[in-house]
Amino acid sequence: MDFLRFLRGALGAATTGGRTYHLWMGVLTFIIMVGGYAYSVQLREGLIVTGMSDHVSWGLYISNFTFLVGLAAAAVMLVLPAYVLKDVDFSRAVLIGEGVAVAALTMCLCFVVVDLGGPQNMWHLVPVLGYFNWPRSMLAWDVLVLNGYLALNLLIPLYILYQHYHGREPQRRKYVPFVYLSVFWAVSIHMVTAFLLAGLPARPFWNTGLLGPRFLASAFAAGPAFIIVTLHFIRRMTTYRIANETLSKLAMIATVAAQVNLIMLGSEIFKEFYFPTHHSESARYLFFGLHEHNALVPWIWTSISMNVLATIVLTLHPLRRDQRLLYPACLLLFVAVWMEKGIGLIIPGFIPSPLGEIVEYMPTWVELAVTAGIWSLGLFVFTALVRVALAVETGSVRHPGAPIMQD
Amino acid sequence: MTRKFRLRDLFTLMARGSEAASTAPASASGCGAACSCSTPEDSGHSVLDKTVDRRRAMGMLFGGAAAAATATKSAASVTQTEPEKDEKLLAWEEQLKGNFRLMTERERAETIDRLEQLTLIRHGVDVRIRDAGAIPGVLYGYAFNISRCKGYRNCVEACIKENNLDRKTGTQYIRIFEMEGGQVTFEDGDAEYFHQVPAEGHFYMGTQCFQCANPPCVDVCPVGATWQEPDGITVVDYDWCIGCRYCEAACPYWARRFNWSEPEVPAEEINPNQHYLGNRLRPKGAVEKCTFCIQRSRQGQLPACAEACPTGARVFGNLLDPNSEIRYVLEHKRVFRLKEDLGTEPKFWYYMD
Amino acid sequence: MRLGLCLSLLPLWCLLACTDDPSGPPPTPSASLETEPERPRQLQVLAAVDVQGRTGPGDRPFQASRRTGRMGQYPCTSCHEQPIVELSAAAVERRWSHLNLRIEHAAALRCGTCHRYASLDQLQLIDGDAVDFDHSYQVCAQCHSPQARDWAGGAHGKRLGGWRGDRVVETCTGCHDPHAPAFPRRMPQLYPQVPRTGTDR
Ligand code: SF4
Ligand code: SF4
């Protein structure tokens, strides 16, 4: 009964707000609906309305999926210090981080579903009803870890918020084991997603042991970068106080991860180009173009330049401490990683095909609309979650009988 | 073929353990050629409970509609006079059926019956869909003579007609590459050539699904919609596939094709001699591939490509029969396979005169 | 006058009558519902002979498709009532009959290398032994012995009817034109397609 009241309060918090809030949510809803329409076209006609082909059989959808798994995993960078080390600074940011994780996972699952040719057959994945090819298929592992991670990231903050709602301190004994679990889990979702690609001998571009660590590094760069940008907005738009120290610690994490990411990228590039073999054809296609086909060359170089620029800004202390530079640098880093780890990672794996044929890929309007729709859905979910979390934390939504919190 | 240890084997072992626990003997057909051949008949009865369970559970999920559908069906209300209603009912029952590997014999017969009716309703063609199992003691192999192939592509045409391949997007299982002399690099080959053949200074190499003995495409499928039959043919249950295309990414020989839209085959060109795991009409959004013409080879015939080849470049037969032509080729010719370094063990060899 | 007419029609008639160049493998029978497993329909129409003097893998006898059934105007003696005489190479060039024949085989060959002038319904080996048209592979095998060996084993040539049961293979002339055995250059086969519609790329 209490829980229902809590939910009602949460719903109320998510649906009330100023004009900017409603405008923002309205725009998101509109884009979601456009995406929904595009998806209905795709359902009717089949995936032929996308730019994918038998040669490039995964496209924008799976690209976004791999990137977003990383974003979801990055929430762990905040969870561990906040809950386990009792770093007060972080505990304020951590709910945001978990909101990011939930939103990112929602988007991940949506992207996987829209990529399916037979979504009506999805029940075949349900373990007892269908035939869940676990543990052999890495995709089965991925389904498992993603859903598990989603559950963890919903339950932990829910418990904490619910306790705060009642004005009680959450009991560490009850949630810290799950926090530990979710830390391992976060690493695993990203590793499993990397293994999904790295385990394919057919695609030398992905078939490298460095793929998993690279995924982690880029995720731990893009994730905190994204959270920094959101915290900036929250500071500007709400009364929720976030200490500068939180931001600078997060920026430090993003910086180190971005540096490691660049080192790994460099080492990959060295391996591909010091003595290029047939296995380097995809990398050649990506970075320099292959036989007049060079659709991705400007894309990847833009991404790398942005990446390097952002990393330089973050690395130099005076620049990083300057808030006017920190936010653009974080945004730059986020976009750069999205470009590199989405399109820049998935598409070249298919070009050239295992038999050396080159067919390029260009997303169609349907794909773009569906992708935009899912991103809007993610932002929608994220905004709503953050709004509820802030409302509970700041005490504007609370149980009638709860004592007044000091914070 | 000796096998090295791989991490994946451990997974496979675990999988066998868990399958054995839940679905008893059905796992035998699930674990590929390594197991003793289990004909569909043996795997049938013992999994009856599981499959019935599935249907009941699905029925509960969808408000008993499935159960109702089954009931209506058994009350013989299916008449040819109301094709549209029939079609909906049949399609709904099809949607709720299980994985072909786990079906009982009766369920197989029922689904085949439904599919035949649906083809009649939708395309006006009376087809016969078989579900013939593997012939015991047979493991199919293929050899391709690269000094004989002239690039005529009669095989491609025969394959399209035999296997009811989608005419709209021009699906082809077979690719004939025009290769430059002096090297075997597909990067410099051309599969889209259209000029007088054979071209000076070139040779021709055909590719299709090589029915790997150690197929990477099978392990990756999250729903077990593709597997290796005891006779070595890797098949797809088109109605069980969810269309994730993971297998397409995993195949090192680019042998799998996806139905990007509803496949189109003119009614008068539909080959009525079909197999459930072979050339029956595919739904939109499922993956398909060459099956060595399972509908033909299990009847003792040659695959359509081998039969159509005007130069005799294609040799097909039983690898377990020491007196077969394929064994003669393997023993008397210098053969090679594509990408042997991957350890996929294709059952498709190239050789020269 | 009448003689002139006859003479001018003669090449045309020969052209029509003696089309014995191979028409490739027999057409694939259209798929039937009741294909008998052991002996596919094809073999019921296709006559085959037991191959003499050679065995297949495992020393097993095998069969080859008949030549005679597919020759346009066999027996040859229905026209050639008399034994013929050897023609010079120049005379072969200027010949009046069998104009459909493209002769592109080893230059040293004469018609009489393979055809038996004394009895035209038969072929002959180099050593003079007569060979039936249905066993023409023996004539080919004299020079092309590696191919003949592979043909018997199964690495050269083409199996007919199915991979199981009695082994029946295409005879040499089933695929190769004996007078110009190399495969011709031609355009590759076109595939059946339907026109693409709006939503396609
Ligand atoms: S060739 Fe490709 S599709 Fe065929 S069995 Fe091997 S991996 Fe699978
Ligand atoms: S596309 Fe179908 S057969 Fe291939 S892996 Fe996915 S579900 Fe399995």
Side-chain angles (χ1 to χ4, degrees):
Chain A
M1 210 47 235
D2 249 10
F3 189 67
L4 277 183
R5 190 181 306 174
F6 169 68
L7 285 186
R8 214 173 316 128
L11 194 66
T15 48
T16 50
R19 199 142 53 106
T20 338
Y21 179 71
H22 280 300
L23 192 66
W24 167 243
M25 295 304 252
V27 169
L28 289 182
T29 313
F30 177 73
I31 303 177
I32 293 172
M33 280 160 67
V34 172
Y37 168 71
Y39 184 56
S40 76
V41 173
Q42 181 187 308
L43 269 187
R44 198 178 59 234
E45 303 288 331
L47 284 159
I48 190 139
V49 296
T50 68
M52 292 183 272
S53 59
D54 278 322
H55 283 93
V56 185
S57 49
W58 283 339
L60 196 57
Y61 297 152
I62 296 295
S63 300
N64 277 293
F65 163 75
T66 40
F67 172 77
L68 288 166
V69 172
L71 195 59
V76 76
M77 289 316 287
L78 304 161
V79 171
L80 187 66
Y83 289 149
V84 181
L85 308 180
K86 285 243 55 142
D87 190 327
V88 184
D89 270 323
F90 267 27
S91 69
R92 289 200 153 263
V94 78
L95 286 173
I96 314 286
E98 267 159 353
V100 171
V102 170
L105 285 169
T106 313
M107 290 193 261
C108 282
L109 295 177
C110 287
F111 274 119
V112 171
V113 171
V114 296
D115 187 65
L116 291 185
Q120 79 281 2
N121 287 347
M122 251 196 337
W123 64 272
H124 296 171
L125 269 172
V126 181
V128 179
L129 281 183
Y131 186 112
F132 193 55
N133 190 17
W134 185 86
R136 258 176 293 175
S137 166
M138 275 296 133
L139 201 54
W141 277 90
D142 219 22
V143 169
L144 207 67
V145 292
L146 285 181
N147 283 303
Y149 193 63
L150 181 60
L152 279 177
N153 275 294
L154 277 174
L155 289 180
I156 296 172
L158 191 67
Y159 171 71
I160 291 171
L161 285 178
Y162 190 57
Q163 294 300 327
H164 284 172
Y165 174 71
H166 282 283
R168 296 192 292 253
E169 235 353 86
Q171 284 174 286
R172 285 176 60 80
R173 185 170 51 83
K174 285 204 181 144
Y175 71 88
V176 166
F178 290 99
V179 173
Y180 277 114
L181 185 62
S182 86
V183 169
F184 286 109
W185 210 289
V187 175
S188 81
I189 63 167
H190 217 29
M191 283 307 220
V192 167
T193 309
F195 291 166
L196 194 147
L197 300 171
L200 303 180
R203 312 278 168 181
F205 187 68
W206 300 332
N207 191 10
T208 149
L210 201 52
L211 201 70
R214 245 183 89 196
F215 266 38
L216 282 183
S218 59
F220 291 159
F226 182 75
I227 292 172
I228 290 174
V229 176
T230 16
L231 287 183
H232 170 61
F233 275 106
I234 289 172
R235 279 219 300 192
R236 281 222 340 232
M237 313 241 222
T238 70
T239 56
Y240 195 58
R241 280 177 293 115
I242 288 153
N244 271 339
E245 209 189 324
T246 308
L247 284 184
S248 67
K249 273 194 187 166
L250 276 178
M252 202 62 212
I253 293 173
T255 308
V256 174
Q259 288 162 346
V260 174
N261 185 32
L262 273 190
I263 292 171
M264 291 189 185
L265 185 67
S267 119
E268 283 277 14
I269 291 181
F270 170 81
K271 176 229 144 195
E272 299 284 21
F273 294 110
Y274 181 69
F275 195 96
T277 65
H278 271 292
H279 291 174
S280 312
E281 294 285 272
S282 294
R284 255 179 65 200
Y285 167 75
L286 176 64
F287 289 103
F288 304 111
L290 206 57
H291 309 302
E292 325 268 295
H293 296 278
N294 41 23
L296 285 182
V297 176
W299 179 269
I300 193 69
W301 286 113
T302 312
S303 154
I304 288 187
S305 334
M306 286 161 67
N307 204 336
V308 170
L309 188 69
T311 310
I312 290 175
V313 171
L314 289 175
T315 305
L316 301 175
H317 294 296
L319 298 184
R320 185 179 66 242
R321 294 206 184 104
D322 185 341
Q323 300 230 332
R324 278 166 310 170
L325 283 178
L326 176 64
Y327 299 127
C330 284
L331 202 62
L332 211 59
L333 186 63
F334 181 77
V335 177
V337 171
W338 178 76
M339 289 172 80
E340 180 208 321
K341 227 175 73 181
I343 303 254
L345 179 86
I346 297 299
I347 312 301
F350 291 101
I351 305 172
S353 81
L355 296 180
E357 291 176 275
I358 302 178
V359 172
E360 294 201 286
Y361 165 77
M362 192 53 77
T364 58
W365 75 266
V366 174
E367 271 170 298
L368 292 173
V370 170
T371 303
I374 294 177
W375 270 94
S376 304
L377 179 72
L379 287 175
F380 189 97
V381 169
F382 177 64
T383 317
L385 287 179
V386 168
R387 191 148 188 99
V388 172
L390 293 191
V392 174
E393 290 293 292
T394 54
S396 59
V397 170
R398 66 172 56 233
H399 194 265
I404 307 297
M405 285 227 297
Q406 290 312 306
D407 211 60
Chain B
M1 300 170 197
T2 55
R3 301 177 96 201
K4 289 153 274 154
F5 171 79
R6 294 155 316 149
L7 189 59
R8 235 184 47 208
D9 291 341
L10 201 67
F11 289 170
T12 312
L13 279 179
M14 286 163 66
R16 273 182 211 164
S18 65
E19 267 174 30
S22 59
T23 64
S27 64
S29 54
C31 57
C35 294
S36 59
C37 313
S38 90
T39 50
E41 288 78 31
D42 339 326
S43 59
H45 310 288
S46 37
V47 287
L48 187 73
D49 307 77
K50 180 182 163 72
T51 33
V52 168
D53 272 354
R54 173 189 294 109
R55 176 157 292 192
R56 195 178 300 138
M58 287 304 292
M60 266 147 53
L61 262 186
F62 294 97
T70 324
T72 348
K73 173 79 188 299
S74 51
S77 79
V78 179
T79 53
Q80 293 301 318
T81 51
E82 294 174 48
E84 235 168 70
K85 208 176 111 216
D86 285 351
E87 188 190 340
K88 286 224 174 70
L89 189 67
L90 289 170
W92 175 246
E93 286 190 296
E94 275 295 283
Q95 176 62 34
L96 297 183
K97 73 182 176 185
N99 185 319
F100 185 73
R101 266 188 292 178
L102 302 178
M103 282 186 203
T104 61
E105 240 187 296
R106 216 191 70 212
E107 285 174 318
R108 288 182 179 185
E110 282 172 2
T111 179
I112 284 178
D113 187 47
R114 284 194 297 266
L115 286 169
E116 287 175 351
Q117 287 191 48
L118 276 171
T119 320
L120 190 60
I121 294 171
R122 288 178 182 161
H123 305 273
V125 183
D126 196 6
V127 301
R128 152 123 181 246
I129 301 175
R130 291 171 203 268
D131 64 343
I135 307 168
V138 172
L139 186 68
Y140 296 112
Y142 212 120
F144 186 98
N145 189 341
I146 52 176
S147 36
R148 285 290 138 206
C149 177
K150 302 284 182 237
Y152 292 151
R153 286 208 193 107
N154 289 51
C155 49
V156 180
E157 186 206 18
C159 173
I160 291 174
K161 289 184 174 161
E162 168 69 29
N163 287 302
N164 296 319
L165 296 190
D166 177 27
R167 312 289 206 265
K168 186 171 144 197
T169 57
T171 305
Q172 298 161 22
Y173 291 160
I174 304 174
R175 308 274 292 159
I176 305 289
F177 281 82
E178 187 172 83
M179 310 284 283
E180 277 175 28
Q183 56 187 14
V184 189
T185 45
F186 280 90
E187 283 78 4
D188 298 319
D190 174 15
E192 309 269 315
Y193 63 86
F194 193 69
H195 49 68
Q196 290 247 324
V197 287
E200 196 60 45
H202 290 78
F203 67 101
Y204 296 84
M205 250 173 123
T207 65
Q208 57 201 68
C209 171
F210 296 157
Q211 319 293 355
C212 309
N214 182 18
C217 58
V218 165
D219 289 293
V220 300
C221 179
V223 293
T226 179
W227 65 90
Q228 198 177 152
E229 288 275 299
D231 53 8
I233 300 179
T234 301
V235 293
V236 182
D237 181 345
Y238 311 115
D239 295 324
W240 193 255
C241 170
I242 57 173
C244 66
R245 308 189 296 294
Y246 194 12
C247 53
E248 221 177 358
C251 169
Y253 305 103
W254 199 65
R256 290 184 166 246
R257 302 289 181 270
F258 184 68
N259 286 289
W260 298 94
S261 58
E262 196 72 47
E264 273 180 33
V265 185
E268 65 279 7
E269 288 179 30
I270 290 178
N271 175 4
N273 183 20
Q274 303 182 349
H275 194 286
Y276 190 92
L277 301 170
N279 58 344
R280 72 181 165 99
L281 299 179
R282 268 80 63 183
K284 170 181 82 183
V287 150
E288 60 178 270
K289 64 184 277 297
C290 159
T291 59
F292 280 175
C293 286
I294 199 165
Q295 65 280 1
R296 296 172 59 95
S297 46
R298 286 195 177 166
Q299 305 298 315
Q301 292 174 284
L302 292 170
C305 47
E307 195 168 281
C309 177
T311 68
R314 290 168 170 272
V315 177
F316 177 82
N318 180 6
L319 288 169
L320 302 183
D321 172 5
N323 296 324
S324 63
E325 296 179 324
I326 180 85
R327 281 286 287 271
Y328 178 87
V329 170
L330 296 186
E331 281 154 26
H332 292 85
K333 293 283 153 185
R334 295 295 158 264
V335 299
F336 68 94
R337 295 181 286 182
L338 282 191
K339 306 195 187 186
E340 294 228 43
D341 47 334
L342 298 183
T344 47
E345 305 281 358
K347 292 194 287 292
F348 191 103
W349 287 265
Y350 295 95
Y351 71 103
M352 286 150 274
D353 272 352
Chain C
M1 178 58 211
R2 195 140 13 103
L3 185 71
L5 189 68
C6 280
L7 274 181
S8 60
L9 283 180
L10 192 66
L12 187 66
W13 179 78
C14 287
L15 191 72
L16 293 174
C18 299
T19 39
D20 71 341
D21 60 348
S23 49
T28 314
S30 59
S32 79
L33 285 183
E34 302 301 337
T35 316
E36 188 201 338
E38 284 301 332
R39 263 186 167 255
R41 243 176 47 159
Q42 206 175 34
L43 289 198
Q44 294 160 10
V45 269
L46 185 87
V49 290
D50 291 330
V51 170
Q52 297 167 350
R54 279 164 204 281
T55 50
D59 218 16
R60 297 191 176 182
F62 65 105
Q63 294 184 309
S65 60
R66 292 181 85 103
R67 173 77 176 136
T68 44
R70 282 186 275 168
M71 289 161 69
Q73 198 64 15
Y74 182 82
C76 309
T77 41
S78 54
C79 301
H80 296 282
E81 288 170 357
Q82 304 291 318
I84 57 167
V85 289
E86 182 65 48
L87 296 172
S88 68
V92 171
E93 280 298 307
R94 290 195 316 268
R95 70 190 182 276
W96 275 85
S97 53
H98 294 300
L99 282 174
N100 58 324
L101 293 187
R102 195 165 53 92
I103 301 180
E104 274 171 39
H105 210 150
L109 297 189
R110 302 167 295 114
C111 304
T113 315
C114 308
H115 290 279
R116 189 174 181 83
Y117 293 146
S119 136
L120 279 163
D121 287 341
Q122 285 180 308
L123 299 168
Q124 71 178 6
L125 303 180
I126 310 273
D127 62 11
D129 287 357
V131 173
D132 200 85
F133 266 97
D134 282 335
H135 295 283
S136 57
Y137 53 86
Q138 293 180 351
V139 178
C140 310
Q142 298 174 104
C143 301
H144 304 282
S145 55
Q147 282 83 353
R149 200 175 54 231
D150 281 348
W151 174 74
H156 183 115
K158 189 174 159 65
R159 183 155 178 170
L160 296 174
W163 58 270
R164 218 160 46 148
D166 299 339
R167 179 165 174 247
V168 184
V169 298
E170 190 68 273
T171 191
C172 309
T173 49
C175 303
H176 299 280
D177 179 347
H179 302 108
F183 280 102
R185 267 166 66 87
R186 65 163 165 94
M187 289 306 276
Q189 198 72 27
L190 286 170
Y191 335 117
Q193 281 201 343
V194 295
R196 294 178 166 232
T197 53
T199 51
D200 290 4
R201 272 146 290 164

